[in-house]
Amino acid sequence: MRSDRRFFSDLRPIQLIPHYLDFPEGSLLIVQGNTRVLCNVTAEHGVPHWIKANNLPIGWVTAEYAMLPRATHHRTPREASASSGRTQEIRRLIGRCLRAAVDLNKIGERTFFIDCDV
């Protein structure tokens, strides 16, 4: 049994709090144990240049990911100029998963930016 009295096979309770922020087109706070992930969606007209250049009739979904400096026991500096390999892989994973779940043909010439801060 774990220290919080869960069995090893039990997931931490999860809580989803929609509309967490006022200004994004969509926002969600995900709470699972002591982990909190704030996700925001921004929709903009237009698509990346490579989609337009290839005359593809699709929209796009992309993601940004960042670990907040005090999300760990010791402050981790923000990744200002270059992202670590871990950050890049998490960002790619989020984007690929969301693109697999969205019909890019139906969203028109729009780009949806998903910002995830842990």
Side-chain angles (χ1 to χ4, degrees):
M1 185 163 288
R2 296 174 188 263
S3 61
D4 63 358
R5 307 185 73 123
R6 286 182 295 123
F7 289 104
F8 287 105
S9 59
D10 292 343
L11 294 176
R12 293 177 291 167
I14 189 166
Q15 184 180 11
L16 304 175
I17 305 169
H19 315 295
Y20 192 74
L21 295 178
D22 293 332
F23 301 111
E25 283 76 359
S27 68
L28 176 70
L29 179 66
I30 303 166
V31 179
Q32 189 169 15
N34 291 328
T35 302
R36 287 160 180 76
V37 182
L38 178 58
C39 299
N40 299 298
V41 178
T42 302
E44 292 184 0
H45 184 72
V47 292
H49 70 278
W50 62 268
I51 291 177
K52 211 176 230 341
N54 289 299
N55 291 321
L56 298 173
I58 61 172
W60 194 242
V61 177
T62 189
E64 294 288 328
Y65 162 86
M67 179 83 71
L68 296 174
R70 279 312 305 243
T72 57
H73 292 288
H74 303 284
R75 186 179 188 280
T76 305
R78 294 182 190 271
E79 296 177 346
S81 57
S83 297
S84 70
R86 178 181 185 275
T87 296
Q88 289 178 11
E89 285 303 314
I90 293 170
R91 184 178 296 162
R92 288 179 187 137
L93 176 66
I94 295 167
R96 288 176 183 152
C97 290
L98 292 172
R99 284 190 294 276
V102 172
D103 187 344
L104 300 177
N105 294 301
K106 292 187 178 179
I107 62 175
E109 269 195 32
R110 289 181 191 83
T111 298
F112 290 86
F113 295 92
I114 315 300
D115 294 302
C116 303
D117 294 296
V118 178

